[in-house]
Amino acid sequence: MSSALGLNLQRMWWRHKATHPILQALLSEPLHTQNFKDTRYVVIDLETTALDPNQGEIASVAWVVIEQATICLNQAAHFHVKLQREVGQSAVFHQLTDSDLEQGVNLSVAMEALLNVVSNSVLVFHNAHLDMGFLNKAMRSLWNAPLLMPVVDTLQIEHKRLLQRTEAIQVGDLRLFQCRQRYGLPDVALHDALGDALATAELWLAMN
Amino acid sequence: MTDSNQPEIQAVADFLRECLPFNELPEPALQEAARQIQIIYVREGHQFSAATDDYALRIVRSGAVEIRSSRNELMDRLGEGESFNIHGLDVGDEGVHAQVIEDSLIYLLPRAHYEAIRAQFRDFDRHFHSQRSRRLRRAARYQPNTNMMMLPIESLVSRNPLTLGPNASLQEAALAMTGRRVSSVLVMEGETLCGIVTDRDLRSRALAKGLPLDTLVSDIMTRKPKHIDVGASLFDAILQMTQQGIHHLPVLRDGKVFGIITSSDLMLARRDDPVYLVQHLSRQTETAGMRAIIDTMPSLLVEVIKGGMRAHQISRVLTAISDTVASRLIDLAIQELGPAPVPFCWLGFGSQARGEQLIGADQDNGLLIDDAATAQDMAWFEQLAQRVCDGLNACGFPYCNGKVMATTDEWRQPLRGWKATVDSWTRTPTPDAVMRVSIFFDLRAVYGDQALCQQLQQHMLARTQKDTIFLAALAANVLEQTPPLGIFRRFVVERNGEHRDEFDIKKRGIMPIVDLVRIHSLAHGVEAVNTRERIQQLKQKKVFTIADGRNLLDAFDTIQQLRVENQSRQIAAGHAASNYMNPKDLPELERKHLKDAFTVVHDSQEALRNRYRQGL
C-alpha cells in the first residue's frame, strides 16, 4: 500500500508540471487494483546504448499488449530510434550499427506512440529499474514529467520467489531466458526489443 | 526498416516457419499470420471445446495437448508446433475436446485469418484434411529404392530342374547331369520332392566309397532336403545357404517343386553385400581377421541404407554376422579345448536373440549345459565361455556392463539350474529380478543343441503365462522405464552432459515397444522372439486388433528406420554410430513421423497398463 500511496503523491506532484496532454491525463487516471485477467498490460523492452540513463540513449523500443490474459500481437509495435550520439559499445550487444539507426524515428515519435497505448494499463518489464530509468529520463526531457505508472517487474518477482524457496541464486539465474526455462517456456533465439518484450509477456502469463 | 506499427515479429515468424503447414507459406503471408497471433497460457487440466471457445486455429507453442472424443477416447496427442481447430474436429463428433496435459503456451490464429489463409493456399488447406495414422503408415511403407537383395528369388530360379525317380542309378544321374550341364538332380516320387543329389554327393558318397555304378540314387541322396519358397528374397536364400553350408536349394511354390537355385546363381547378385561377410567370417582363423571384417560394417551400413535396405532387413543381416562371429569363436575354442564333454547350447539374449542387432551392440550371452555335466565338465565350459567372450570383445562386441555373459556363473548353468533361476525370479519379482527377466526372456540358440534351448523356453512360458502377479510386476517395470511421451515439446531430450539436446532413440523409442510386446508374448505363450514376429503372432491370437497391431508395427519400423538412418548420418559425418539423436537434425516430416510413432507407443502402453496393472 505504501508504495501505491507514494506513487499517487508523486503523480499528483508531476501531473501539473507535465507539458504533454496525454502524459497529464495518464498521471491523472485513478489507479485500480484489479485481478490479472481484467488488467491491461503493456509489456515493454528497450535497447539502449549504455546501462546508465545518464550515459546512454534509447536505441529501440518495442511493446506487446496483454488484454484478458491474452497477448495480442496485432497491437505490438517496434520503433528504432534515431540516435543523437554514435552507437559505440552497445553495438556489440545489439548488433546495431549507426546506419541502422539513421533510419529510425525521433525519440519523441516513439515516446508519443507509447503514451498513446498505456492508458489504464500496467507496465511490465523484465528488469524495470533499467528501462524505467531510460523512459523517465526521456519523458522528463521531452515533456517535463516522468512516466509514473504502475509497474510489474518479472525479474523482481522471480527474485523474490527464488529467495522464498531459499535456493542459492546463481549469476545469470534471473536473466530472462533462465527465468523462462524454470516456467517450462520454450527457448527462443536472441532477437530484438520486440522479441524480448514478447518473451517477457509470455513469462508474465506463465507467472499468473 | 518496416513500418513501426506493422512490425515483423521475428520470434513468432521463426516458430511458424518450423510448423507444418505454415512452412509452405510465402514470407509475406507468414509475417502477416505472425502479426495476427494471440497468445495464451493454459494450465494442465484446461479444456478447449467448440461450445466454450472461439473458432480458431490453436498451435501448441510449448506443452502438450490431447484431443479426445465425446466418449473421452484419445484421438491424438499434440506437442510443440502441432495445431488443432476444435470446431473442425467437432464436425461429425460433437463433444470433441482438447485437454491440456501439461502447462502450455498456445498461439491462436483467429478464424478470419485462418480461413483466409486456407482459401488462398491449397497446400496449407490440404494439411488439415490429412490424418495422422495415414501419414504414419505411408512413412513405414515408403521404400525409396528397391534393394537387389530384397527382390524375390523368382527371377533367378532355374525352371525345369533336372529330376529323376528314386530308382535311377548313379550312372544315369551322372549322365543326365552332364547332359544338362547342371550340378544337381532332384529325386522325385511323383509330385513329391524326396531328395537331392549333387556333384559333391557323387564324389564323396559314391566314388570315394567305391559304390558300384548301379547303386540307386535314393541310397546316396540327401533326404528331405532344405528348400525355400519362391516368394523368399535373395537375402533369405543366401543366408540359408551360408548358414547351412549348402550350395543348392530346391525352390517350392505352394509346396510343389518350382525350380532350383544355386550359389552360383546368387553370385551374380551379391558382390558388395554384407551377407558376403558371413562367408568371409566363417573362414577366419584368428580374431584379428574377424575384427578387420567387423570394422568395415559401419561403412557398409551407410552403403546399404543408400541402397534402400530397410531397418529390419539390416538388423537381420547384422545379427547374422554377430551369430557367425560367435559360432566361429566357439568352433575355434573347441579346436583347442577338445570336444564338448556333454551337449550344450550357446544362448544369445536381447537384441541378438530378437534378430534386431545394429552397429555397436555389446554382448548379451549365456551358456546352457546338459544336466549330465559333472563339476569337471563345468570347468571345460568355463574355459569355453572365457575364450568366446574375450574373442567377441576383441572382434568389436564389447563386454556387457551388466555382466550378462557366459563368463558370469549365473549365466552359465545346466538346464535344471536355469529352470531354478527362472522359478526364483518369477516367484519373487524384485526389481532386480524383473530387470534380469526382461533381458533373459528374449533368448535364442545361437550355437549347439537347439532342443535344450526349447526346453528352457517352454519351461519359462509355462511359468509366466498364468502368473498375473509376475506379469503385473513386469508391466510396472516397463511402464516405469518409459516416461510419458506427451512431453514431445522438448522431445524428452537429455538435459545435461555430452548429449544435451539429444535423446536416446533406442531407450525412448525402441525399448518401450520391445518391452510391451514381450509382456504380451509371455502372457499369451507366444514363442517368437523377434519383435515383428511377436506382433504378427499376437495379432493372430487376437491379443492385438488388426489395426493396433499394424500401427505398432508401423511405429516400430518407423523408429527403427530413423535410428539406422541417424547412425548412417553419424558414420558418414565421421562419428561413431550411437543411439543419440537430436530432433533438430531431422527434417520436419520425419520429426512428425517420430512423434506419430511415439503417440502409438504411448497408447499401447496405456493399454498395457490397463490390462496387467490390475493384477497388482
Side-chain angles (χ1 to χ4, degrees):
Chain A
M1 271 320 280
S2 68
S3 70
L5 190 68
L7 181 61
N8 266 325
L9 284 171
Q10 287 186 52
R11 283 159 60 92
M12 267 167 66
W13 170 259
W14 285 107
R15 78 177 57 138
H16 302 291
K17 300 190 177 269
T19 58
H20 194 293
I22 301 177
L23 183 54
Q24 239 173 31
L26 284 171
L27 295 173
S28 309
E29 282 171 4
L31 294 180
H32 301 290
T33 328
Q34 281 174 316
N35 64 22
F36 171 70
K37 191 161 185 262
D38 294 326
T39 306
R40 185 176 189 274
Y41 295 96
V42 179
V43 189
I44 303 170
D45 188 72
L46 304 184
E47 282 175 352
T48 58
T49 59
L51 292 177
D52 178 348
N54 295 316
Q55 292 182 12
E57 293 178 68
I58 296 174
S60 67
V61 55
W63 58 82
V64 299
V65 172
I66 302 177
E67 282 175 352
Q68 294 294 305
T70 305
I71 300 171
C72 306
L73 290 181
N74 58 3
Q75 295 186 55
H78 192 185
F79 291 88
H80 292 272
V81 177
K82 213 178 282 178
L83 294 177
Q84 306 303 308
R85 288 174 287 184
E86 69 260 27
V87 169
Q89 218 189 351
S90 97
V92 182
F93 300 124
H94 298 312
Q95 285 132 36
L96 297 170
T97 63
D98 289 322
S99 68
D100 277 343
L101 298 166
E102 274 168 21
Q103 302 170 51
V105 299
N106 284 325
L107 183 63
S108 62
V109 173
M111 290 300 105
E112 190 155 22
L114 181 63
L115 288 181
N116 274 307
V117 299
V118 296
S119 174
N120 282 309
S121 305
V122 172
L123 308 183
V124 183
F125 301 88
H126 193 74
N127 198 1
H129 178 74
L130 180 70
D131 286 2
M132 278 307 288
F134 277 93
L135 286 180
N136 283 334
K137 183 177 174 245
M139 295 285 172
R140 288 175 76 154
S141 67
L142 288 165
W143 302 305
N144 205 33
L147 186 66
L148 290 170
M149 303 272 297
V151 166
V152 163
D153 187 346
T154 50
L155 183 145
Q156 288 305 328
I157 292 172
E158 184 66 359
H159 188 217
K160 212 180 274 178
R161 193 180 71 106
L162 291 185
L163 285 178
Q164 274 165 7
R165 286 166 39 177
T166 64
E167 285 172 20
I169 298 176
Q170 308 285 326
V171 178
D173 273 356
L174 292 170
R175 281 162 53 195
L176 178 56
F177 298 96
Q178 265 62 40
C179 293
R180 282 174 61 94
Q181 274 190 356
R182 279 191 295 274
Y183 287 84
L185 293 170
D187 291 344
V188 285
L190 272 172
H191 279 282
D192 44 21
L194 181 54
D196 284 0
L198 174 59
T200 306
E202 290 178 346
L203 176 63
W204 180 229
L205 289 187
M207 282 176 160
N208 281 279
Chain B
M1 173 69 55
T2 53
D3 182 350
S4 306
N5 289 309
Q6 291 274 298
E8 289 192 349
I9 307 175
Q10 284 310 339
V12 176
D14 286 352
F15 167 68
L16 290 180
R17 209 175 285 123
E18 296 285 310
C19 298
L20 287 174
F22 287 90
N23 56 341
E24 310 268 352
L25 295 180
E27 193 60 23
L30 190 79
Q31 291 290 351
E32 178 56 23
R35 271 194 289 277
Q36 300 306 332
I37 294 289
Q38 298 175 2
I39 304 170
I40 56 169
Y41 189 83
V42 285
R43 301 279 169 204
E44 184 183 329
H46 182 92
Q47 275 196 6
F48 296 100
S49 71
T52 55
D53 291 277
D54 288 341
Y55 191 112
L57 182 70
R58 291 178 171 79
I59 310 159
V60 180
R61 174 65 182 97
S62 68
V65 172
E66 285 179 351
I67 308 293
R68 290 187 173 268
S69 72
S70 51
R71 280 158 298 159
N72 210 34
E73 293 160 336
L74 182 65
M75 294 164 68
D76 206 347
R77 184 172 288 111
L78 308 176
E80 177 178 330
E82 295 186 299
S83 52
F84 62 100
N85 165 18
I86 201 75
H87 289 74
L89 292 166
D90 201 34
V91 175
D93 179 14
E94 269 178 51
V96 170
H97 56 280
Q99 174 97 27
V100 176
I101 57 171
E102 237 185 68
D103 295 354
S104 297
L105 200 56
I106 304 286
Y107 283 14
L108 180 148
L109 184 64
R111 176 174 197 166
H113 301 282
Y114 170 54
E115 289 184 337
I117 297 174
R118 283 187 73 166
Q120 200 184 343
F121 300 101
R122 231 177 115 217
D123 286 340
F124 185 92
D125 183 53
R126 197 180 295 137
H127 173 82
F128 292 99
H129 294 299
S130 77
Q131 256 201 350
R132 174 176 288 253
S133 60
R134 223 182 299 148
R135 191 168 67 213
L136 179 59
R137 181 136 312 121
R138 270 201 307 272
R141 301 283 149 79
Y142 174 66
Q143 301 212 0
N145 300 302
T146 313
N147 183 275
M148 185 72 186
M149 292 302 287
M150 292 306 142
L151 291 175
I153 50 174
E154 183 163 356
S155 60
L156 292 166
V157 172
S158 313
R159 303 293 306 273
N160 302 318
L162 177 62
T163 60
L164 288 170
N167 297 323
S169 71
L170 293 185
Q171 189 169 28
E172 281 167 21
L175 277 171
M177 286 162 74
T178 309
R180 288 276 296 269
R181 300 166 65 95
V182 295
S183 55
S184 67
V185 55
L186 300 182
V187 183
M188 308 283 291
E189 248 167 351
E191 293 258 272
T192 314
L193 174 68
C194 54
I196 184 170
V197 175
T198 67
D199 272 351
R200 189 167 62 176
D201 298 332
L202 289 175
R203 166 163 47 84
S204 59
R205 295 180 192 167
L207 277 176
K209 294 192 173 149
L211 295 184
L213 295 180
D214 57 358
T215 309
L216 299 182
V217 286
S218 56
D219 291 341
I220 69 154
M221 70 184 181
T222 304
R223 287 172 192 278
K224 292 185 184 158
K226 305 277 185 205
H227 52 80
I228 192 164
D229 189 82
V230 70
S233 69
L234 200 51
F235 166 60
D236 291 320
I238 294 177
L239 196 59
Q240 196 169 332
M241 286 188 197
T242 312
Q243 286 180 337
Q244 287 158 6
I246 55 178
H247 302 280
H248 302 80
L249 268 179
V251 179
L252 305 190
R253 166 176 275 166
D254 301 328
K256 291 194 180 129
V257 171
F258 176 82
I260 190 160
I261 191 160
T262 68
S263 54
S264 47
D265 295 328
L266 301 178
M267 282 302 281
L268 296 169
R270 60 180 173 187
R271 260 175 227 124
D272 298 327
D273 259 286
V275 180
Y276 209 47
L277 292 181
V278 173
Q279 214 160 16
H280 281 302
L281 278 169
S282 57
R283 296 201 183 119
Q284 299 305 312
T285 52
E286 280 168 29
T287 51
M290 287 192 248
R291 174 78 197 219
I293 295 171
I294 299 297
D295 284 345
T296 65
M297 296 215 302
S299 55
L300 257 158
L301 179 78
V302 177
E303 285 306 307
V304 297
I305 283 178
K306 270 193 213 143
M309 201 187 264
R310 305 300 289 169
H312 68 270
Q313 298 160 338
I314 292 169
S315 54
R316 273 180 65 195
V317 175
L318 293 178
T319 306
I321 286 171
S322 87
D323 283 2
T324 306
V325 173
S327 301
R328 188 67 192 138
L329 288 168
I330 295 168
D331 281 337
L332 292 173
I334 289 174
Q335 279 176 21
E336 284 186 52
L337 298 172
V342 295
F344 73 97
C345 180
W346 185 267
L347 301 174
F349 297 115
S351 62
Q352 186 180 17
R354 294 191 304 272
E356 290 161 10
Q357 231 169 9
L358 289 179
I359 301 270
D362 63 359
Q363 308 182 26
D364 279 323
N365 53 47
L367 255 176
L368 170 56
I369 300 155
D370 192 281
D371 282 338
T374 63
Q376 200 184 348
D377 295 341
M378 291 305 285
W380 186 93
F381 286 106
E382 192 175 347
Q383 280 184 290
L384 174 74
Q386 198 62 54
R387 274 161 208 253
V388 177
C389 291
D390 288 350
L392 284 169
N393 185 59
C395 287
F397 299 93
Y399 295 121
C400 169
N401 283 332
K403 300 266 185 286
V404 179
M405 291 185 292
T407 43
T408 309
D409 291 347
E410 195 185 9
W411 299 91
R412 186 186 66 252
Q413 297 196 68
L415 181 59
R416 65 174 128 55
W418 276 113
K419 284 180 176 172
T421 306
V422 169
D423 291 349
S424 80
W425 284 341
T426 47
R427 208 161 36 231
T428 44
T430 62
D432 184 55
V434 167
M435 201 259 313
R436 278 157 195 279
V437 158
S438 54
I439 298 169
F440 175 77
F441 279 178
D442 293 343
L443 89 166
R444 183 168 58 86
V446 171
Y447 184 104
D449 193 344
Q450 306 264 349
L452 277 173
C453 181
Q454 267 171 13
Q455 285 179 59
L456 180 56
Q457 204 191 11
Q458 273 157 15
H459 176 80
M460 185 174 88
L461 285 173
R463 287 288 313 195
T464 54
Q465 204 168 344
K466 300 270 149 47
D467 190 340
T468 50
I469 293 173
F470 171 71
L471 289 169
L474 208 54
N477 173 266
V478 164
L479 296 168
E480 191 179 288
Q481 278 180 344
T482 55
L485 294 155
I487 327 172
F488 345 107
R489 70 177 153 84
R490 295 185 293 277
F491 242 97
V492 221
V493 291
E494 310 286 342
R495 274 285 160 201
N496 302 306
E498 187 188 351
H499 297 296
R500 212 183 119 88
D501 299 330
E502 301 183 336
F503 70 102
D504 185 330
I505 190 172
K506 182 183 178 196
K507 201 167 99 192
R508 293 327 227 295
I510 292 297
M511 291 320 291
I513 301 182
V514 168
D515 286 342
L516 73 89
V517 168
R518 180 191 310 110
I519 293 182
H520 286 297
S521 300
L522 291 175
H524 296 91
V526 168
E527 287 186 22
V529 175
N530 177 269
T531 302
R532 300 176 95 244
E533 286 170 21
R534 278 177 169 168
I535 294 173
Q536 294 293 2
Q537 293 190 18
L538 287 167
K539 241 162 58 177
Q540 281 160 14
K541 289 188 178 233
K542 307 239 189 297
V543 178
F544 289 153
T545 65
I546 291 178
D548 287 350
R550 205 167 53 183
N551 281 339
L552 200 57
L553 194 62
D554 287 344
F556 182 73
D557 284 349
T558 299
I559 298 173
Q560 196 74 311
Q561 188 69 26
L562 290 173
R563 179 180 168 206
V564 292
E565 283 172 7
N566 185 53
Q567 294 195 336
S568 167
R569 268 193 300 274
Q570 290 170 332
I571 294 163
H575 304 299
S578 84
N579 288 314
Y580 281 95
M581 177 181 274
N582 189 334
K584 288 200 176 116
D585 293 343
L586 290 177
E588 180 62 25
L589 192 64
E590 293 188 359
R591 222 183 302 173
K592 280 258 169 219
H593 291 148
L594 195 56
K595 284 183 190 176
D596 291 352
F598 279 4
T599 305
V600 171
V601 176
H602 186 97
D603 294 346
S604 308
Q605 284 192 316
E606 294 277 293
L608 183 77
R609 179 175 288 121
N610 292 334
R611 200 182 297 216
Y612 300 110
R613 288 304 304 272
Q614 281 153 9
L616 277 173

